[in-house]
Amino acid sequence: MERNQTDFVILGILAIHPDQSGYEIRKTVQQSVGFFWGESFGQIYPALKRLLANGLIVARKPASGAKATRQEYSITPAGRLRLQEWLAVPFRDDPPRDEFLLKLFFASDAGPGVALKQVAKFMENNRQLLATLEELQKLGATRSSHYAGFPYWMLTLDYGVRHLRMTLEWSQNAVVVLKALESPEKQEGRRKHV
Amino acid sequence: MERNQTDFVILGILAIHPDQSGYEIRKTVQQSVGFFWGESFGQIYPALKRLLANGLIVARKPASGAKATRQEYSITPAGRLRLQEWLAVPFRDDPPRDEFLLKLFFASDAGPGVALKQVAKFMENNRQLLATLEELQKLGATRSSHYAGFPYWMLTLDYGVRHLRMTLEWSQNAVVVLKALESPEKQEGRRKHV
DNA sequence: ACACACATGTAATTGGTTACATGATTTC
DNA sequence: GAAATCATGTAACCAATTACATGTGTGT
């Protein structure tokens, strides 16, 4: 019960910025919480209908000039209340399923070479994402936004940046460990061939 | 395609330690990869039947003396091959959905008090888990295990420990930020009431 | 003319949890 | 004899992705 998080993502996004279409909501989600949350159209459109039926959002044909097919949504007072209610419910932390760690855990069956490839991809992914988030952070710092949500957004961004930096530090060490496993000799800080 | 990760978790676990029942496999999963992966019975039992039908594992009634109802499974050579194959496929990193961060991101609608409560729970959870993982790490260090998988297990453990330490550092800062938002005055390192 | 982004939706499938249902064995 | 743990499984439901299907508007 109370498990349909898509609804709340939409409410949250519309609470920050109203008059968005389903298409736009998805883009906003990707650009704001995308580094720790994803939503697909297959979930967004049905969710919008649900929210509409429950009076938590309202639909409006956009002002003339915009596309005729487009539907814009805004949050209602009831929707805002629902959102606030949900915010106060303790989050549940189920273990996030991490496929990378899973493969690494079992990797001895395939050897260090395979593990090193996975780690390399992991590093590359994280380096790129880190660059993006640091860019966002810099932008935020200069703009010193006046939105009420701003400090909260920056906290999550900071979390992301710290997380990615940690993964890169860890990766460097992992590479050293795996390379040592790769070469048959033990290289305990000494030359090869003992 | 190739998305049924439960199958591979089971194969991986049985590759490390054979002759386990479905019940036992689940426990092993919890105790080994539990901090980044979970499996429920509702998935394990059907998966075992699937794997059995495909010849990737074999079933055996346990030696006399054990429970009659119990079924023990082991990985077959075909299963091991399948596992190795999967290990070499690049992992996919979809953004892990983090409900805690999501609530924090939208928390301005509910205020710093609500956010602080969520952060407090987050810290508490992570402190506990960190203690458990550090315990495991210490145990691993003394035993200096001879299993081939050992270095890989330690890498994932190290990841967990680093991650949790990072979350606690971040949390401390988050609490400071949120407390500052809570009190109406700006406390820029100066006295209140300007 | 073509490509790309905007825009909305449904259907099929898979993935996954939770609840239900049952029963044996061990420990107190 | 009661409670906890071991043990297996199914059914109902919910969550989520992916593929399918369709069409408009904008820019080159």
Side-chain angles (χ1 to χ4, degrees), chain A residues 135-156:
Chain A
E135 205 44 51
L136 277 174
Q137 223 174 24
K138 230 180 285 176
L139 254 147
T142 53
R143 281 208 220 160
S144 76
S145 174
H146 53 287
Y147 294 107
F150 187 73
Y152 300 90
W153 308 340
M154 287 300 112
L155 281 178
T156 61

Side-chain angles (χ1 to χ4, degrees), chain A residues 5 36 38-39 80 84 86-87 89 91 93 96-99 103 109 112 118 121 125 152 155 170, chain B residues 5 36 38-39 80 84 86-87 89 91 96-99 103 109 112 118 121 125 152 155 158 170:
Chain A
Q5 295 149 322
F36 62 82
E39 292 293 348
R80 216 170 258 277
Q84 283 161 11
W86 173 76
L87 286 170
V89 174
F91 74 95
D93 64 340
R97 300 179 134 213
D98 190 319
E99 197 182 310
K103 292 202 175 190
D109 241 88
Q118 299 283 1
K121 195 202 163 191
N125 288 181
Y152 300 90
L155 281 178
W170 171 87
Chain B
Q5 295 148 322
F36 62 81
E39 292 292 348
R80 217 171 257 276
Q84 284 162 10
W86 173 77
L87 286 170
V89 175
F91 73 95
R97 300 179 133 214
D98 189 321
E99 197 182 311
K103 292 201 175 192
D109 241 86
Q118 299 282 3
K121 195 202 163 192
N125 288 181
Y152 300 89
L155 281 178
D158 180 41
W170 172 86

Side-chain angles (χ1 to χ4, degrees), chain A residues 156-189:
Chain A
T156 61
L157 240 190
D158 181 40
Y159 184 97
V161 167
R162 284 176 193 245
H163 173 68
L164 291 167
R165 286 192 184 137
M166 175 250 120
T167 66
L168 291 176
E169 282 166 32
W170 171 87
S171 298
Q172 278 172 22
N173 175 57
V175 167
V176 172
V177 171
L178 292 171
K179 281 207 171 131
L181 289 173
E182 217 177 17
S183 64
E185 308 83 0
K186 307 225 166 178
Q187 334 167 283
E188 311 273 309

Side-chain angles (χ1 to χ4, degrees), chain B residues 17-105:
Chain B
H17 186 70
D19 296 316
Q20 290 186 87
S21 67
Y23 188 90
E24 246 176 333
I25 288 170
R26 199 212 176 196
K27 237 176 75 179
T28 308
V29 168
Q30 285 175 336
Q31 288 166 0
S32 57
V33 296
F35 67 95
F36 62 81
W37 201 271
E39 292 292 348
S40 62
F41 288 129
Q43 266 182 281
I44 287 178
Y45 286 115
L48 285 169
K49 294 203 159 175
R50 228 181 3 248
L51 292 167
L52 201 57
N54 294 350
L56 305 178
I57 60 175
V58 282
R60 199 199 334 160
K61 287 259 182 317
S64 61
K67 297 190 189 184
T69 52
R70 181 186 160 104
Q71 274 290 321
E72 286 178 357
Y73 300 93
S74 296
I75 193 167
T76 63
R80 217 171 257 276
L81 238 122
R82 196 92 172 65
L83 174 63
Q84 284 162 10
E85 223 176 274
W86 173 77
L87 286 170
V89 175
F91 73 95
R92 38 179 279 167
D93 64 339
D94 9 43
R97 300 179 133 214
D98 189 321
E99 197 182 311
F100 166 68
L101 287 181
L102 193 65
K103 292 201 175 192
L104 185 64
F105 188 89

Side-chain angles (χ1 to χ4, degrees), chain A:
Chain A
M1 61 272 320
E2 234 41 298
R3 310 271 295 59
N4 201 332
Q5 295 149 322
T6 301
D7 288 13
F8 298 106
V9 175
I10 293 174
L11 289 176
I13 294 292
L14 290 178
I16 292 170
H17 186 71
D19 296 315
Q20 289 185 87
S21 66
Y23 189 90
E24 245 176 336
I25 288 170
R26 201 214 172 193
K27 237 177 74 180
T28 308
V29 167
Q30 285 176 335
Q31 288 168 359
S32 57
V33 296
F35 66 96
F36 62 82
W37 201 272
E39 292 293 348
S40 61
F41 289 130
Q43 266 182 282
I44 287 178
Y45 287 115
L48 285 169
K49 294 203 158 173
R50 225 179 8 247
L51 292 167
L52 202 56
N54 294 351
L56 305 178
I57 60 175
V58 282
R60 200 201 331 160
K61 287 261 182 315
S64 60
K67 298 192 189 183
T69 53
R70 181 185 159 105
Q71 274 289 320
E72 285 178 359
Y73 300 93
S74 294
I75 194 167
T76 63
R80 216 170 258 277
L81 238 123
R82 197 91 173 67
L83 174 62
Q84 283 161 11
E85 222 175 274
W86 173 76
L87 286 170
V89 174
F91 74 95
R92 38 180 279 167
D93 64 340
D94 9 42
R97 300 179 134 213
D98 190 319
E99 197 182 310
F100 166 67
L101 288 181
L102 192 64
K103 292 202 175 190
L104 185 64
F105 188 89
F106 293 130
S108 76
D109 241 88
V114 168
L116 276 165
K117 262 182 209 156
Q118 299 283 1
V119 173
K121 195 202 163 191
F122 183 68
M123 286 182 85
E124 190 39 41
N125 288 181
N126 289 347
R127 248 199 287 266
Q128 273 195 23
L129 185 52
L130 177 57
T132 321
L133 295 195
E134 278 175 335
E135 205 44 51
L136 277 174
Q137 223 174 24
K138 230 180 285 176
L139 254 147
T142 53
R143 281 208 220 160
S144 76
S145 174
H146 53 287
Y147 294 107
F150 187 73
Y152 300 90
W153 308 340
M154 287 300 112
L155 281 178
T156 61
L157 240 190
D158 181 40
Y159 184 97
V161 167
R162 284 176 193 245
H163 173 68
L164 291 167
R165 286 192 184 137
M166 175 250 120
T167 66
L168 291 176
E169 282 166 32
W170 171 87
S171 298
Q172 278 172 22
N173 175 57
V175 167
V176 172
V177 171
L178 292 171
K179 281 207 171 131
L181 289 173
E182 217 177 17
S183 64
E185 308 83 0
K186 307 225 166 178
Q187 334 167 283
E188 311 273 309
R190 288 154 201 217
R191 64 175 64 236
K192 295 185 182 180
H193 305 294
V194 182

